[in-house]
Amino acid sequence: LPKRERKAIRDERKQAISDNDDADANDTKVKGWVETGREHIGKRFYSPHVFDRRGRVYHVPSFGHHNTDCLRAMFYLANKKPVGDQFHWICVALANNFGIDKFTFDQRQEWAEANTEVIEVAGRTFANEVDLYDWWTFKDPKTGEKTDVLHKQDKIPPFDFWRQGDEALQFLAACREYHRAMAYEERNPGEGGDFASGLPIALDAAQSGIQHFACASLNKNDGTLTNLVPQDVPNDLYGACLERAKVLIAEKLAENR
């Protein structure tokens, strides 16, 4: 074989070995988390935390709520509270974990309410790969482009629905909580607000570093980009940086022609 092809084979083999090593390490890590989780099922426990040099707070053990999706999804708060008239926050958790987090709160609730049937089934039987359900999202099924209105998508089984979430297992945990809330309401008609939930509902800080700079410098533009200024649709600082970078790159390329 030519030298270039031999090198390509060696590089491919090296990458395969590295990928397999990573897979083995992740397999060991996840099995450890699952074992720890099973030991704590139904038990109240506390996790020690520390401040880092920037003032951020992190849990000491790797088994914690700041870790990856599959581990975060295992956590359920012990101090449960009745949802009362705040059930929409479970809808927000559903939308955020699915990836519908750059929309207004009303749109996120609209998305969750449009998909209640498949959400409830996914929460009841996560492994269902047979029954097909309609579902809706803010994307044109013909063009694939993001829109501000919901579009009906092709029918899919509950398993294929929940696994496409950005934070798939946290989304599944929210589906489970939704199912439990609906089951409680069915057993106790008219008393759904008494359902006690311990589902962790995360809200993104947008970019806390720039938020601090914006506050310290009273910079309204930066405050707007990091959602410190009231607005219906949340801003995405990283997206704004990307769009600005595209403009600068295009200008640079035009200058060098």
Side-chain angles (χ1 to χ4, degrees):
L1 291 175
K3 183 177 181 181
R4 180 177 297 177
E5 292 185 18
R6 293 200 305 272
K7 182 179 185 302
I9 292 173
R10 288 196 302 270
D11 290 344
E12 183 178 357
R13 180 176 181 273
K14 183 178 179 181
Q15 185 62 51
I17 292 173
S18 176
D19 290 343
N20 288 334
D21 288 342
D22 288 342
D24 289 341
N26 286 333
D27 181 62
T28 300
K29 188 183 297 182
V30 171
K31 284 180 178 177
W33 289 339
V34 170
E35 182 178 347
T36 302
R38 284 175 175 163
E39 291 174 355
H40 290 81
I41 289 178
K43 300 177 182 178
R44 180 188 295 264
F45 68 94
Y46 300 87
S47 180
H49 285 62
V50 294
F51 287 96
D52 72 359
R53 60 183 178 80
R54 300 170 296 173
R56 293 188 175 186
V57 184
Y58 293 100
H59 47 77
V60 176
S62 64
F63 188 82
H65 55 89
H66 285 154
N67 218 308
T68 191
D69 175 53
C70 68
L71 182 50
R72 290 186 182 200
M74 295 184 193
F75 281 80
Y76 195 77
L77 302 177
N79 295 329
K80 296 184 291 185
K81 299 292 183 182
V83 295
D85 60 354
Q86 301 295 308
F87 187 79
H88 61 278
W89 282 110
I90 293 181
C91 293
V92 169
L94 285 161
N96 285 353
N97 287 316
F98 192 84
I100 312 294
D101 56 339
K102 303 303 180 187
F103 293 84
T104 67
F105 283 118
D106 287 342
Q107 286 176 310
R108 288 179 241 187
Q109 184 167 354
E110 179 189 7
W111 177 89
E113 291 175 349
N115 292 297
T116 52
E117 184 179 22
V118 66
I119 285 171
E120 201 279 331
V121 175
R124 184 174 73 247
T125 170
F126 72 92
N128 187 331
E129 299 182 27
V130 179
D131 300 324
L132 301 180
Y133 293 85
D134 291 323
W135 69 289
W136 302 71
T137 196
F138 295 102
K139 182 184 293 185
D140 189 318
K142 295 180 179 179
T143 65
E145 294 182 357
K146 176 181 172 182
T147 68
D148 289 327
V149 295
L150 289 170
H151 293 271
K152 189 176 182 179
Q153 310 295 309
D154 293 336
K155 289 177 177 285
I156 57 175
F159 177 77
D160 288 343
F161 172 68
W162 69 258
R163 74 190 183 109
Q164 65 183 312
D166 282 3
E167 304 288 353
L169 292 173
Q170 289 178 81
F171 175 65
L172 179 60
C175 290
R176 179 64 178 170
E177 191 75 344
Y178 183 91
H179 162 68
R180 293 179 64 248
M182 293 301 100
Y184 183 92
E185 170 69 29
E186 186 175 343
R187 295 192 305 270
N188 306 276
E191 300 178 6
D194 293 337
F195 172 71
S197 175
L199 180 72
I201 299 175
L203 295 177
D204 188 7
Q207 216 291 1
S208 56
I210 301 300
Q211 285 179 331
H212 282 84
F213 282 123
C215 289
S217 60
L218 300 181
N219 188 313
K220 185 175 181 179
N221 182 60
D222 288 348
T224 301
L225 287 174
T226 53
N227 302 308
L228 292 175
V229 176
Q231 51 201 307
D232 289 333
V233 180
N235 264 308
D236 180 5
L237 175 66
Y238 299 105
C241 290
L242 174 62
E243 293 305 315
R244 179 58 180 159
K246 288 179 179 178
V247 172
L248 294 175
I249 291 172
E251 292 176 351
K252 196 68 175 178
L253 291 173
E255 291 176 2
N256 295 332
R257 284 177 182 169

